[in-house]
Amino acid sequence: MLDLVPLARFGDRVATGLLDVTGDPAALDSTGFWAVAADFEGRLTCARFADVREQPVPAPVPGAWRGPAAGDWTSSLDRAAYTAGVRRIREHIAAGEVYQANLCRVLSAPVGPDADVDALTALLARGNPAPYAGTIRLPEHGVEIATASPELFLRREGRTVESGPIKGTGRTEADLQEKDYAENVMIVDLVRNDIGRVCATGSVTVPELCVVEKHPGLVHLVSTVRGTLRDGAGWPETLAAAFPPGSVTGAPKSSALRIIDALETAPRGPYCGGIGWVDADRGVGELAVGIRTFWIDRACGDGPLLRFGTGAGITWGSDPEGEWRETELKASRLLAVASGTYEAMERD
């Protein structure tokens, strides 16, 4: 492995000069600039950096990133297992145990020992720009993440907290179905309840509901939930109330998590977790939902693996084959970028 210097990138901001690393969320209410990575399973890594400056993501350097070939990827759930999982969730819905659950699979492919997520970031910034793009490179702490997330998990400005759940995906707006709108409304209700646990009574509002947002290669339905934190509530309380994100679990969250645990065969890791930054000195921060996210797993006996997650929200109206196709749609462009074939396709 190369001697990879710790760094974090969020948009046009880069942080270097690692000071300390902790798993204690209370640190986010202390001082300094923090990069934050929370795995879906609950592992939290907060890294404080000394130097934060404005710097655009560099242009890709030819040969700096050698990604997997398109045929190198394997899936934790193949097509048959995934569609069977969708049918099983519909049985849980019919039994009244859950209204919806997010079913995900993790794709994996080998990469070289010199693989650097920051080099992948340069490709993602051009092939799949995203509003909550971010990179955290902490090899000694097992965190090497590059996300092209379109989804806001939590934003804090002083005492105001906001979330932007996504539910509903199509290639175009015309592809969005009644099921997509129903999913979004259900998750908005869940997020309202989550945030309401740490907000002042009556302060939680929904300024935007089911707004169509265009992203590279697809469209999403996005809503906004906003509230005012009650006295005494900081980052530890907010994360405890809202994590894991409702849009990637289901409703009710507790039932959905139990179903996910039974059906999914691989840990999600950074995928569907929280990835972002907190400026504790200014009392602001922004965490994305860790979707459209790559990470390098070096804890593998046969060499490092590049991993990527994809999934779909399952409701009573779900068609198993249609949900499988949605996971393919969400992954296709990003896997092409990571393999280096996307730019070639664009030139052709």
Side-chain angles (χ1 to χ4, degrees), residues 155-174:
R155 178 186 291 126
R156 267 192 64 187
E157 295 183 13
R159 306 306 298 166
T160 300
V161 63
E162 184 174 291
S163 185
I166 286 177
K167 269 298 165 196
T169 300
R171 291 186 185 275
T172 67
E173 185 173 354

Side-chain angles (χ1 to χ4, degrees), residues 105-121:
R105 55 195 182 97
V106 174
L107 309 177
S108 304
V111 288
D114 60 347
D116 176 9
V117 290
D118 199 39
L120 176 55
T121 297

Side-chain angles (χ1 to χ4, degrees), residues 28-316:
L28 304 178
D29 286 320
S30 61
T31 60
F33 182 89
W34 298 85
V36 182
D39 284 0
F40 182 78
E41 288 74 28
R43 182 178 76 123
L44 178 66
T45 304
C46 305
R48 179 159 47 186
F49 288 89
D51 180 33
V52 184
R53 62 193 183 276
E54 295 294 316
Q55 178 184 301
V57 177
V61 175
W65 173 259
R66 292 187 294 276
D72 290 346
W73 293 94
T74 59
S75 176
S76 60
L77 295 173
D78 62 16
R79 186 173 190 157
Y82 190 87
T83 53
V86 174
R87 289 190 289 272
R88 182 69 185 120
I89 291 172
R90 291 185 76 251
E91 292 173 2
H92 285 293
I93 294 170
E97 299 170 32
V98 70
Y99 297 111
Q100 67 165 290
N102 216 65
L103 183 63
C104 299
R105 55 195 182 97
V106 174
L107 309 177
S108 304
V111 288
D114 60 347
D116 176 9
V117 290
D118 199 39
L120 176 55
T121 297
L123 294 176
L124 291 172
R126 284 146 185 83
N128 201 101
Y132 304 106
T135 302
I136 303 177
R137 188 175 70 189
L138 301 167
E140 292 188 4
H141 299 276
V143 178
E144 296 177 77
I145 300 168
T147 184
S149 177
E151 182 172 1
L152 174 65
F153 174 35
L154 291 170
R155 178 186 291 126
R156 267 192 64 187
E157 295 183 13
R159 306 306 298 166
T160 300
V161 63
E162 184 174 291
S163 185
I166 286 177
K167 269 298 165 196
T169 300
R171 291 186 185 275
T172 67
E173 185 173 354
D175 293 334
L176 296 171
Q177 303 172 23
E178 184 178 339
K179 167 232 179 211
D180 296 302
Y181 288 86
E183 264 194 281
N184 193 290
V185 171
M186 278 191 281
I187 292 303
V188 165
D189 191 48
L190 183 152
V191 173
R192 285 177 64 248
N193 289 333
D194 283 353
I195 290 179
R197 293 167 57 193
V198 289
C199 284
T201 302
S203 71
V204 178
T205 62
V206 182
E208 296 181 310
L209 183 65
C210 294
V211 174
V212 177
E213 278 190 6
K214 294 183 179 180
H215 294 273
L218 44 73
V219 299
H220 288 306
L221 288 178
V222 185
S223 297
T224 301
V225 182
R226 184 180 299 148
T228 302
L229 290 175
R230 57 173 166 76
D231 291 344
W235 278 108
E237 294 77 16
T238 304
L239 288 169
F243 198 85
S247 63
V248 290
T249 52
K253 187 185 284 189
S254 58
S255 298
L257 286 170
R258 175 176 51 79
I259 292 167
I260 288 167
D261 185 60
L263 293 177
E264 295 184 10
T265 59
R268 295 187 185 181
Y271 173 58
C272 295
I275 304 166
W277 58 272
V278 171
D279 186 334
D281 296 326
R282 294 172 52 220
V284 298
E286 191 172 82
L287 305 182
V289 177
I291 57 174
R292 318 292 196 273
T293 296
F294 293 94
W295 69 102
I296 296 175
D297 182 353
R298 298 187 189 272
C300 308
D302 297 327
L305 293 174
L306 183 66
R307 300 196 191 274
F308 179 87
T310 184
I314 312 305
T315 67
W316 176 248

